[in-house]
Amino acid sequence: MQGAIAFPAMQVVDRLVAECHRFEVSAIDPDIAGQLASELPLEDFVRIVRTFEEDLGRLARQLEAAVASGDQDGYRRAAHSLAGAAAAVGARRLEHVARLGMDHRAQVDPRTIALHVQHEARAALAELAALADNPPGSA
C-alpha cells in the first residue's frame, strides 16, 4: 500500500464521486429498490433490505480493517465483495468507489478509498434502513 499518489489520487476519487452524484439523486438507486419491492412480498423485501444493510456494514468494516493493518489482499477482497453487494442493492456510488479500490492501476491510496467508502456506506445504510422501515407500497 506504499507508494500511492495522494494528491492526484484524491482528485480521481473526487471526480468519480462527483460524477456519481451527478447521475444519482440518492445513495440507493430507486429503480432497483422499486423493482425489488414490486416483485417480492413485503416481509421478504424487508428481510432482504435488512440483510444488505448488515452485509454492507460488515464489508465496509472489513475494508477499513484491511487498510488499517496494511493487508493489501484483504483490502482488494473486501473492495470486490463490497462492490458486488453494493451493486445488488443499487448503491451505485458505493459500488463505484469500491471498484476503484479493486483496480490496482488506479494508484489511489487505500486510506482515501476507505474514507469515501465510509461516506458512501453511511449514506447507503441510512437509505436501506429507511426503506426497511418504510418499504415502497407499505402505506
Side-chain angles (χ1 to χ4, degrees):
M1 291 204 212
Q2 307 230 5
I5 302 170
F7 182 69
M10 188 63 158
Q11 290 176 338
V12 169
V13 173
D14 288 343
R15 197 169 52 245
L16 175 71
V17 170
E19 181 180 313
C20 293
H21 281 286
R22 185 178 62 178
F23 293 113
E24 300 290 335
V25 294
S26 66
I28 301 296
D29 185 331
D31 291 336
I32 292 175
Q35 182 180 359
L36 284 173
S38 69
E39 293 177 1
L40 296 171
L42 183 61
E43 58 277 356
D44 290 344
F45 174 78
V46 171
R47 184 178 39 78
I48 287 171
V49 169
R50 291 284 185 215
T51 299
F52 275 117
E53 208 178 352
E54 293 168 12
D55 288 347
L56 289 181
R58 177 182 47 79
L59 292 168
R61 287 188 302 275
Q62 285 177 358
L63 185 130
E64 291 173 30
V67 169
S69 68
D71 178 3
Q72 194 166 27
D73 288 336
Y75 164 72
R76 295 231 190 281
R77 278 192 310 276
H80 182 266
S81 297
L82 188 58
V89 75
R92 306 243 173 171
R93 296 188 320 236
L94 178 57
E95 176 191 359
H96 286 299
V97 173
R99 288 196 186 285
L100 186 59
M102 293 166 45
D103 186 356
H104 65 279
R105 297 166 296 161
Q107 297 184 5
V108 179
D109 186 328
R111 294 170 297 190
T112 301
I113 295 294
L115 288 173
H116 284 284
V117 162
Q118 287 174 5
H119 173 76
E120 294 302 336
R122 272 194 296 272
L125 289 169
E127 289 187 21
L128 284 171
L131 272 174
D133 290 343
N134 208 359
S138 64

